[in-house]
Amino acid sequence: MWHRDGYTRLRSVSTMQEQITREPVVFRVARSARGLVGWRPEISAASLNYKPRTRFGVGLIGFVFCVANAAVFTAAVAPFLKGEQSYSDLVGSAIAWGNVDKGFDFRVFQVFLATFGLLVALLVSLCRRLETSHEMKAALERGLALALTPGALWLGGRLVTNSFGSAPIECVLSGAAVLTLFFLLSRPRLAATPENIGAIVNASLLGLVLAFFAGLGLATAISRIFHAPITKDTTIWLVTATCGSAFLAVATVILLSSQAAEIRERIRHVIFGSQIFLPLLCTVIVPPAVVENGNRIVAHPSIALTTGLVLAMAAGWAALSSRWIWSRHPTAANLRQSLVPWAILPVAVFLAVDHPAFPTFFGDDFHTGEHLLPWQQLSDFGKLPFVGFVPIHPLMDFFVSGANQFFFDGTLANYENSRVLLFAVGAALTFITVTRFAGIGLALCLSIAATVWDRLLLVPTLLAVLCDASLIGKSQRWLLCWLCLCALALCYNPAVGVALTLASLPVAIVQVWRLFRQDRNGLVRLTIVCGSVVAAILLTPAAREISWGFVRFLIDNGRTVLVAHGIEWQANAAQMSSVRGVLASPLVWETLRFSWVIVLLLSGWIFLSRAHDWRNARPSIMAISAMTCLFLFFLSGWTLTRIDPSLPSRPGEVSYLACLYILPLVLFSAGSWRYISIPLFMMLIGFFQGATADFINSGSKPHFRVTTGALLEKPATTQTVPDQCISVDGNSLGLRNLGHIYAPKEIVASVVGLKRALSTLLRPGETYLDLTNRQANYFYLGMPAAVSYGAPWVTANTVLQDRLLAEIKSQPPPVVWLTPALALSVDMPAARMYKLYRFLLENYVPLSRDGYFFLVAPDRVGNSNSVREDQIKLLHGGLGDHNLGRLPAAWGSSWSKLETRFTRVQQLSTASGPITNGAGVSLSCNDRSPSGAETDFIKFDFSSNLLPTAKMELDITWTSEHGFGVARLLATGGTNLVPLGAFPAWLLSRNISDVKIAPHAPPSGLVYTIEKVALMRLKD
């Protein structure tokens, strides 16, 4: 019963301002053993400290909710608001001239205001129905924030475009669902606490999300398993049915239940039901149908792929059934127990998988060959990894090529499908480990980010395992996992593996120390196990050779990886077009690409903020913050190596990993993950996906936009073959490894032409040496690689080139394919692989056949020395440009380090004193005339009166028995080291004379000097 004085006191408040300033009164439900008795006012401790946020009791999140949903609803109904402009007089204006309906603008504005007012009224009414405690308003704002998640994802993607796109109507639907749930739960007789209301709303929304994916699973299974030609409308109908059923079930449960505990119990059943069809999402791995000339061509999955899918789906249903049986136990009352990771895991697979193109040539034979060759070279020709053939990314390349062979037909036609398996496995591993680390909620959030670049695919998994709280407390198990995972990371991507090993090394040292102090017997056992593994490797010949080859690969490539593959940062050249939205600003673009630096600093800050009280800090947050900071730091050497001006490049891909995967794990572990973090994180995902989805990196398109529309289209996806492509059966062309593909006629003709040209030069069982960087042709033609590197372009230092030269000399290939080459950088091919070119040009004969340029062993052609001048012209045409750029100046600046690699042959004399008027310098030989084979380098010191930033082109000319020759370079002050042997006219000449150095187009007033000129030879 109400107390009369209290009632009078409450009614005596006359103004709203006075109500706001007074103590809020919280109404408590008085209960007895027989149930509800009455209501009584009570001022709680929480209410004494509570300050209303706004006059209407609606906070900032509520305001944003109203604005966003009003805007989306208005945009959705705007097409129905168009009409005709009415005129009360004969007015000639721009509006009349274009017959424009100006009233449309006002109607849109009015609809927006009306919708906004309606939403505000609904929220105010809801706030009055609910309790006015801080906890209840926090529960309401959490629900409203979750309802904004679809809109946040849409907004992030729209920021990087110059168009609005379609309105995210799913934002309005989620908002309507949340408001409906809160109104249903605000019944006075229910008397639910804020904790119960928040848990019920969150569980209901999660059930709707799972029901959405369940509908997608049904549509995908119908399309991929039963090969039914469904459309997007069919998928929408199925998704509407599953989501509508789930929402109707939730609403029914709330209406028919009298207590919050009863609702929570029954909603668990709804969540179980929402997960039943989720395992069907695994069928997205099955390749979609190909449409050629209107005909639908369906590829039936292999027995191995079908078996794998059946086992994966069966595992999900078995886990779901087991959890259902266990959940009936009275102690299993937690809503989280209703979420079955193995049943929800297919959601992550579905989000990560995309079939971007029909079976075809992918244009980048270098990176395609990286994936396809390792397994083929091992299975067909017995070439052990790092012994007979070197895979650049061992585990990743073997997985793609091996999966292609095991689950598909092992041909080019299924190359992209085998990459789909790689991303599916990576997404599954990430989901499982993140679920164990932080729960299913965060794992689902990270799944929306789809997938990272294939080079970084295992990083989230490895960090989540190594920083798991339950594992860190067990030193022996952690060290065993650390040794295995670091070896796995090294084999997957050596650069990433080295960074991860170094980053986790401090934690390993701490674990060894703990194990030494607490369990020395355990440390001894661990040492024995490691020693046994090392001994087994050393005693097994094949394993020993592979391990030694891998170590040698890391050492040899690590010598020059920076200068061999680096691209400098050109901040001023990184200009995006206006269609890229905010990315058109160079500042935003570079901030996006280098946001991994922010994550590095933030994780370091979190670690230092807890390091002062490390004894009381949780080990997991200390470990993951320290590992993240150190990992990004040690990886920076690899990240900053390639910074392409107009591509995300390595910095952009590492930022994608750091911001969308690692940062959420760090924040969650630090306890900084809030309810508002989910919509903000979704907006960040949309921003990164929209910024990176249209770019190709290393021959692949690693990212795509995850929107509601894209997800609804995925089950009905077909791969349409363009009209300019023809159907190709590899078996009919004698190219079994092509499979059944579709490609432009000219591309097919190029591969067939190469096969035809080589067949006239090679004998059965022979192969060729590829210097064009098109190493995938070894796979297309079914031939072994001539040397241990499929693309010798990778061997950019003399140590690696000496090793390849030894292989070539031991088994000389009869044919070397020289052009047309695939340009991977701006450097001159003959200068990048100079030792190989020098040996091949001196010992092989140039030959052009059917548009292909080869170097052929002399015994394969007759009268090889007939017209040497024509051969040199042919080599010039094949090797390309004669401009060395700044390469001589770059090498010359390090002459003190490189001098020991050369033998000084002749010292050339020059005119003393400075040279004016742009005249040239004649270099005279005191001894006999030099030959190109003995003197393939020239070194000189250059100085001038030009500014250091000015370009100064020099021409080095000479005359030989083959005529006139020239080499051009951009000289700078100091020592210049010129590889004249890169020019066939010099290298193949035996009697060289009239050597001159002259400015090319000299500026007026030029004064320069040439000193210390010497002819050198690079040592063998």
Side-chain angles (χ1 to χ4, degrees), residues 83-85 87 91-102:
E84 296 289 338
Q85 181 68 40
Y87 294 89
V91 178
S93 63
I95 293 177
W97 189 263
N99 192 20
V100 177
D101 178 23
K102 185 58 182 175

Side-chain angles (χ1 to χ4, degrees), residues 13 47 104 128 179 234 276 321 432-433 482 571 583 585 605 640 686 712 723 829 931 937 944 993:
V13 180
S47 65
F104 170 77
R128 291 178 178 176
L179 290 179
T234 306
I276 292 176
S321 302
I432 293 172
T433 54
W482 177 71
L583 297 182
S585 169
W605 180 273
L640 298 175
L712 292 173
D723 295 335
S931 68
F937 277 77
S944 71
S993 61

Side-chain angles (χ1 to χ4, degrees), residues 678-701:
I678 296 179
L680 292 178
F681 182 57
M682 290 299 111
M683 187 170 69
L684 190 65
I685 289 177
F687 183 77
F688 267 91
Q689 287 180 344
T692 58
D694 298 327
F695 294 101
I696 295 177
N697 197 346
S698 298
S700 64
K701 192 176 181 181

Side-chain angles (χ1 to χ4, degrees), residues 515-591:
L515 197 60
F516 177 79
R517 295 185 58 186
Q518 300 174 5
D519 186 8
R520 297 188 181 182
N521 292 332
L523 182 60
V524 172
R525 290 192 298 268
L526 181 62
T527 304
I528 293 174
V529 170
C530 296
S532 301
V533 173
V534 173
I537 292 175
L538 295 178
L539 294 176
T540 306
R544 182 175 63 248
E545 292 181 6
I546 292 173
S547 301
W548 170 240
F550 181 55
V551 172
R552 191 170 57 182
F553 164 78
L554 295 178
I555 296 173
D556 292 345
N557 282 274
R559 298 172 188 267
T560 55
V561 64
L562 177 63
V563 294
H565 304 284
I567 296 179
E568 69 169 325
W569 181 25
Q570 304 174 36
N572 295 328
Q575 183 68 44
M576 295 288 105
S577 63
S578 58
V579 299
R580 307 299 300 177
V582 298
L583 297 182
S585 169
L587 178 61
V588 178
W589 171 247
E590 297 299 351
T591 302

Side-chain angles (χ1 to χ4, degrees), residues 759-836:
S759 64
T760 63
L761 299 173
L762 296 175
R763 296 165 184 155
E766 291 183 334
T767 188
Y768 68 100
L769 175 62
D770 179 22
L771 292 186
T772 66
N773 302 319
R774 302 180 184 274
Q775 58 180 331
N777 283 277
Y778 286 126
F779 179 83
Y780 303 156
L781 302 178
M783 293 184 177
V787 291
S788 56
Y789 282 85
W793 178 84
V794 179
T795 61
N797 60 58
T798 56
V799 175
L800 293 171
Q801 292 174 30
D802 287 338
R803 187 164 294 118
L804 290 194
L805 276 176
E807 296 176 12
I808 292 173
K809 291 176 182 178
S810 62
Q811 291 184 339
V815 177
V816 179
W817 184 24
L818 207 57
T819 61
L822 181 65
L824 297 176
S825 61
V826 298
D827 52 5
M828 188 176 180
R832 184 177 180 91
M833 301 174 283
Y834 176 72
K835 278 197 168 184
L836 291 178

Side-chain angles (χ1 to χ4, degrees), residues 410-438:
T411 65
L412 175 67
N414 285 295
Y415 162 64
E416 191 63 37
N417 296 328
S418 61
R419 282 179 53 81
V420 163
L421 289 180
L422 174 69
F423 289 115
V425 172
L429 292 175
T430 301
F431 181 86
I432 293 172
T433 54
V434 173
T435 298
R436 181 178 175 84
F437 180 85

